[in-house]
Amino acid sequence: MVITSQQELLALYGEASATSLAKEIDHLNADYAAFVRASPFIILATVGAEGTDCSPKGDRPGFVEMLDEKTIAIPDRPGNNRIDNLKNILADGRASVLFLVPGVGETLRVNGRATITADIALRERFAVDGKLPVTVILIAIERVYFHCAKAFLRSKLWDPSSQIDRASLPTPGQILKHIVHGFDGEAYDRDLPARAQATLY
């Protein structure tokens, strides 16, 4: 049975609880700002002409700056230059950010409209060892609310006993070797740690 209407969904799930609706506001109050300051890792979701994108971004806790209670700034550090989320922002602008804090089950969800700036003064605010982000993503906040810890309780994401051996999964080099004919996966994996450290900022 394929669900095709909100009425069908409501028949299955029922109405949202009063508290789940009350927790949504249109700005970062003191409690929500505390999550932003503590978070070293976010997931940025965007939508554009070619579809959706979901991109992880991480740095020191508080790397996402609050310019005011309705605007956050996210430095765009060096990556693979696919820039899928940046292309989406140019095409559409709708964006969502999920803030995670290690060891904490609750997450913070921020929805709004994104723009991209290369303003030098703003980029300098995010300098690390004299290196500036290429651009800064600005999110004009429309909705903010926290999400409960059930997903983390079910997944045991922060439980050390649930961590797996990295060797049980394919390496980046192996993945590329199986996709790209003639690719030297062993050399790629050998050089990856040093290359990653050298290009963090």
Side-chain angles (χ1 to χ4, degrees), residues 25-88:
I25 58 178
D26 66 355
H27 63 284
L28 292 168
N29 64 6
D31 293 326
Y32 287 164
F35 277 80
V36 176
R37 293 191 186 97
S39 175
F41 186 85
I42 67 170
I43 299 172
L44 172 65
T46 57
V47 58
E50 297 182 4
T52 59
D53 181 67
C54 194
S55 177
K57 294 184 179 297
D59 212 320
R60 299 160 185 168
F63 76 98
V64 174
E65 284 199 15
M66 294 171 284
L67 303 186
D68 54 54
E69 66 176 12
K70 297 201 69 168
T71 312
I72 57 174
I74 307 168
D76 196 61
R77 303 293 186 191
N80 56 20
N81 284 345
R82 284 185 56 104
I83 57 174
D84 294 311
N85 57 7
L86 298 181
K87 294 174 184 175
N88 281 352

Side-chain angles (χ1 to χ4, degrees), residues 34-42 57-63 98-108 152 156-160 163:
F35 277 80
V36 176
R37 293 191 186 97
S39 175
F41 186 85
I42 67 170
K57 294 184 179 297
D59 212 320
R60 299 160 185 168
F63 76 98
L98 183 69
F99 288 86
L100 285 79
V101 180
V104 177
E106 291 76 23
T107 55
L108 185 71
F152 289 86
K156 299 182 178 179
L157 184 64
W158 302 133
D159 184 346
Q163 294 182 0

Side-chain angles (χ1 to χ4, degrees), residues 87-122:
K87 294 174 184 175
N88 281 352
I89 290 169
L90 291 177
D92 189 296
R94 287 176 293 173
S96 296
V97 183
L98 183 69
F99 288 86
L100 285 79
V101 180
V104 177
E106 291 76 23
T107 55
L108 185 71
R109 298 166 69 162
V110 173
N111 300 323
R113 304 290 300 188
T115 55
I116 307 165
T117 179
D119 178 78
I120 187 65
L122 188 56

